[in-house]
Amino acid sequence: MKSSATLFFLCALLGGCSTVPSINVLGAYFPDWLFCIVGAIVVTCVVHAALRGTGLLRQSQGLTLPLAYSSLTVSLALMGWLAFFNN
């Protein structure tokens, strides 16, 4: 029983030895999630500008905007990772 638990623990530790998902940019390696977050922040800023331009931003409550923008940023980052980097 003890050897199977030890074997399971060692196999679980070896799961972290896989290759790191990263992109080479001018000789420096950056993780995939970094590009997804930056892209999501840019798209969230575009959505904010569109809402401000149409006048819909004045109708929303001030307390819900941080929650809405952070949720939108996380959703866009996860969708971007699934669309571009999920192998």
Side-chain angles (χ1 to χ4, degrees):
M1 181 71 177
K2 184 179 178 182
S3 69
S4 63
T6 305
L7 182 64
F8 176 75
F9 181 70
L10 290 175
C11 289
L13 288 177
L14 289 176
C17 294
S18 63
T19 60
V20 178
S22 58
I23 297 174
N24 185 359
V25 178
L26 299 174
Y29 289 94
F30 294 97
D32 293 345
W33 58 265
L34 187 66
F35 293 103
C36 295
I37 290 176
V38 169
I41 290 171
V42 168
V43 173
T44 302
C45 290
V46 169
V47 168
H48 174 73
L51 288 175
R52 181 184 284 173
T54 59
L56 294 173
L57 194 60
R58 282 183 247 127
Q59 298 172 359
S60 62
Q61 297 291 328
L63 296 176
T64 59
L65 286 179
L67 180 62
Y69 285 142
S70 60
S71 300
L72 179 64
T73 303
V74 168
S75 299
L76 288 171
L78 292 174
M79 286 189 297
W81 184 81
L82 283 175
F84 296 113
F85 298 111
N86 190 13
N87 295 333

